Amino acid sequence: MSTIAASPGFSGTASALRRLYFVRFAFAIVWALAMFTTASNLGPLAVTLLVLYPLFDVAAAVVDARASRATGSPALLYVNIAVSLITAVGVAVACASGIPAVLRVWGAWAVVAGLVQLIVGVTRRKMGGQWPMIISGGISVLAGASFILGASAASPTLTNAAGYAIPGGIFFLISAFRLGRAAKGN
């Protein structure tokens, strides 16, 4: 069991993050379900979804950075914003080259974003509710490496990229529930 500091900064940040994590969970699940319907080819819906996911990550990181100013430097969140913006453009360009190119860009993003998530989670441990984020960040690094390797498969598919969002969403949900105590200032 972790100790949670009952400062107003932690309480306000925890409350904002809790709301954000619930939204991130819902988005991830809806996105994954939509992506599964089109994961076999790079049609207009798949391209739109693939570009939308890192753009949503940008918006979430902006909200997170604003909420986190009271509890520490949001510098790594700014790194995540930049990386996710670059990824959205990279994925859009990679879509013209096919699924292997998309998987390479997606994989590189998963590795970098996972490292950022892991480090941010470690720095927020005192707030509570961050172990799911730390674990999710580590899994994202491993998943990213598997996407890059999977790009060389005989018949690469986007199914794993779609499936990648589900555990991430579940980790956000678990963290949101765990942040409940911190949000109440207990």
Side-chain angles (χ1 to χ4, degrees), residues 57 75-77 79-81 83-84 106-124 130 132-145 148 164:
D57 195 54
L76 281 173
L77 295 169
V79 169
N80 191 55
I81 291 166
V83 168
S84 293
W106 195 267
W109 174 54
V111 168
V112 175
L115 285 172
V116 169
Q117 183 179 20
L118 191 149
I119 295 167
V120 169
V122 167
T123 63
R124 290 179 173 168
Q130 294 304 301
M133 296 294 88
I134 293 167
I135 294 167
S136 179
I139 291 172
S140 183
V141 171
L142 297 174
I148 293 167
Y164 164 74

Side-chain angles (χ1 to χ4, degrees), residues 151-171:
S152 300
S155 298
T157 177
L158 297 170
T159 303
N160 288 344
Y164 164 74
I166 294 171
I170 290 169
F171 281 116

Side-chain angles (χ1 to χ4, degrees), residues 27 38 44 56 71 81-82 89 131 143 165 180:
F27 177 82
T38 186
F56 182 82
T71 57
I81 291 166
V89 172
W131 281 108

Side-chain angles (χ1 to χ4, degrees), residues 70-99:
T71 57
S73 171
L76 281 173
L77 295 169
Y78 296 139
V79 169
N80 191 55
I81 291 166
V83 168
S84 293
L85 280 172
I86 291 167
T87 299
V89 172
V91 166
V93 171
C95 283
S97 297
I99 291 175

Side-chain angles (χ1 to χ4, degrees), residues 20-106:
L20 175 62
Y21 289 178
F22 279 127
V23 170
R24 290 195 74 160
F25 162 74
F27 177 82
I29 299 304
V30 170
W31 182 88
L33 292 174
M35 191 65 202
F36 275 126
T37 67
T38 186
S40 61
N41 63 52
L42 279 175
L45 178 59
V47 172
T48 301
L49 290 169
L50 288 164
V51 172
L52 180 64
Y53 199 92
L55 290 177
F56 182 82
D57 195 54
V58 168
V62 168
V63 171
D64 193 334
R66 287 182 180 162
S68 300
R69 286 190 183 132
T71 57
S73 171
L76 281 173
L77 295 169
Y78 296 139
V79 169
N80 191 55
I81 291 166
V83 168
S84 293
L85 280 172
I86 291 167
T87 299
V89 172
V91 166
V93 171
C95 283
S97 297
I99 291 175
V102 171
L103 287 173
R104 287 183 189 98
V105 173
W106 195 267

